[in-house]
Amino acid sequence: MMANYCSQELECERIIVESEDTDVLLLSMFHFARLKRFCEIFVRRGGRYVHVHTVVLRLAEKCNVSMQTITAALLSGFALTGCDTVSYPFRRGKKRAAKIILSSPLCLEVFSDFEAVAPDIEGPVLDEARNFMIRLDNKEAISSLNILRQHMFAQNKSELRSLPPTEDAFKQHVLRALYQLRWWKHAHESNPIIPSVTEFGRNVLNNCLVPITTLLLQFPTYIDVPSFCKCKSSKCQSSRCSCVKADVICTIACACATSADGCSREQVVEVEESESEHEF
Ligand SMILES: [Zn+2]
Ligand SMILES: [Zn+2]
């Protein structure tokens, strides 16, 4: 990173970075907190100068954590929710993600220090990332993204892009976010050691890198023909019920799942494998 070179080798006391990109602002904050000698860093964006050094110092003071911790947590949250190279949750917003981190800067502490565990992310890293994602939807009482997805789908079937990912799709997303973090954190090195990209949620297809959306099937094996009914009052006892006609069970996709009368047919509560194609 040029700023690191200017500070360490040229002993510059003041560095100005010109970029409109939020990635660059957060990267500047992250590396400022790790420079061996203090210098002032400004990022010029929108015709204004952001005093990176002041912002980092004040955030660390406000959250009562070190500058390294707060900047690593913010960068981790950004990789998960808003950077240019990784998928991100629809309409959650970068500001909301930042607010969650600032209200609990240690929430991503494990995540921000992932190098020791990637790409085996089961356990604390995945748990912290999942909790963070669930907090974006204000649904802390729910512990699984599959359940949250089902819950939100039942509330609003018209906006599929707003659904959180399945647990399986989320794991691939976390891997991609970790890979981006690896690059960012080693941006000041001339020859960073970066593991293979295909270990982190992407495949090579026709010489192009493509994200792995999920490793699961698109439909559960118990559904041969995708079908859902629109019954709101018949409890799915009528032959007009599409699920009765197709001889498949009712699921959360059916109108009966949220009707006051309920459904007389068996429902599947846990939908582990359905709706795997996702905007996320
Ligand atoms: Zn029905
Ligand atoms: Zn039904």
Side-chain angles (χ1 to χ4, degrees), residues 74-109:
L74 284 169
L75 197 63
S76 300
F78 185 61
L80 280 170
T81 58
C83 79
D84 295 341
T85 52
V86 183
S87 46
Y88 53 87
F90 187 64
R91 284 189 186 156
R92 299 320 193 268
K94 298 172 191 172
K95 284 185 183 171
R96 175 153 177 70
K99 270 187 185 174
I100 290 173
I101 292 168
L102 295 179
S103 68
S104 176
L106 298 179
C107 71
L108 287 175
E109 191 178 23

Side-chain angles (χ1 to χ4, degrees), residues 228-231 234-238 240-244 250 254 256 263 265:
F228 57 90
C229 69
K230 296 180 180 172
C231 311
S234 67
K235 292 191 175 186
C236 300
Q237 288 170 325
S238 151
R240 291 166 65 189
C241 168
S242 321
C243 296
V244 170
C250 291
C254 301
C256 60
C263 174
R265 311 176 74 242

Side-chain angles (χ1 to χ4, degrees), residues 7-268:
S7 165
Q8 309 308 319
E9 304 298 329
L10 304 183
E11 300 190 356
C12 295
E13 294 179 352
R14 189 165 295 135
I15 296 166
I16 299 175
V17 180
E18 183 148 348
S19 172
E20 298 293 322
D21 217 332
T22 309
D23 300 37
V24 174
L25 176 62
L26 283 158
L27 263 177
S28 300
M29 292 169 66
F30 178 83
H31 286 284
F32 164 75
R34 287 155 182 80
L35 290 178
K36 291 195 179 83
R37 60 187 295 279
F38 182 85
C39 71
E40 295 180 336
I41 296 184
F42 299 85
V43 172
R44 187 170 186 268
R45 49 185 274 148
R48 299 167 64 185
Y49 291 89
V50 179
H51 298 211
V52 169
H53 45 288
T54 309
V55 171
V56 173
L57 285 167
R58 287 193 181 158
L59 284 178
E61 265 175 32
K62 184 181 169 194
C63 299
N64 200 24
V65 294
S66 69
M67 293 193 297
Q68 287 85 357
T69 298
I70 192 67
T71 53
L74 284 169
L75 197 63
S76 300
F78 185 61
L80 280 170
T81 58
C83 79
D84 295 341
T85 52
V86 183
S87 46
Y88 53 87
F90 187 64
R91 284 189 186 156
R92 299 320 193 268
K94 298 172 191 172
K95 284 185 183 171
R96 175 153 177 70
K99 270 187 185 174
I100 290 173
I101 292 168
L102 295 179
S103 68
S104 176
L106 298 179
C107 71
L108 287 175
E109 191 178 23
V110 174
F111 191 88
S112 68
D113 188 25
F114 86 101
E115 270 98 341
V117 290
D120 179 16
I121 58 170
E122 297 288 348
V125 172
L126 198 56
D127 291 347
E128 286 212 41
R130 181 191 301 108
N131 291 341
F132 174 65
M133 194 60 66
I134 289 173
R135 288 182 70 191
L136 280 178
D137 285 312
N138 267 334
K139 297 282 189 298
E140 286 89 335
I142 296 176
S143 59
S144 152
L145 285 169
N146 286 347
I147 300 293
L148 176 61
R149 184 176 168 84
Q150 179 178 313
H151 175 80
M152 290 178 68
F153 180 71
Q155 280 189 327
N156 181 7
K157 293 185 171 70
S158 64
E159 188 57 282
L160 296 183
R161 288 178 299 179
S162 291
L163 296 179
T166 60
E167 285 283 341
D168 182 72
F170 183 63
K171 185 176 175 184
Q172 299 302 319
H173 169 70
V174 170
L175 284 168
R176 288 189 289 275
L178 286 172
Y179 187 76
Q180 180 59 66
L181 270 179
R182 179 83 175 195
W183 273 106
W184 281 339
K185 288 181 170 183
H186 294 268
H188 59 291
E189 298 173 10
S190 52
N191 289 305
I193 298 172
I194 306 290
S196 167
V197 64
T198 52
E199 288 178 51
F200 289 85
R202 288 187 175 96
N203 269 336
V204 178
L205 196 64
N206 298 329
N207 283 331
C208 291
L209 273 180
V210 291
I212 300 171
T213 51
T214 181
L215 299 177
L216 298 179
L217 300 170
Q218 292 190 15
F219 291 97
T221 49
Y222 56 79
I223 295 182
D224 295 329
V225 182
S227 171
F228 57 90
C229 69
K230 296 180 180 172
C231 311
K232 286 192 173 162
S233 56
S234 67
K235 292 191 175 186
C236 300
Q237 288 170 325
S238 151
S239 59
R240 291 166 65 189
C241 168
S242 321
C243 296
V244 170
K245 274 191 208 165
D247 194 23
V248 296
I249 57 175
C250 291
T251 69
I252 191 73
C254 301
C256 60
T258 50
S259 84
D261 290 342
C263 174
S264 64
R265 311 176 74 242
E266 183 186 359
Q267 291 194 41
V268 174

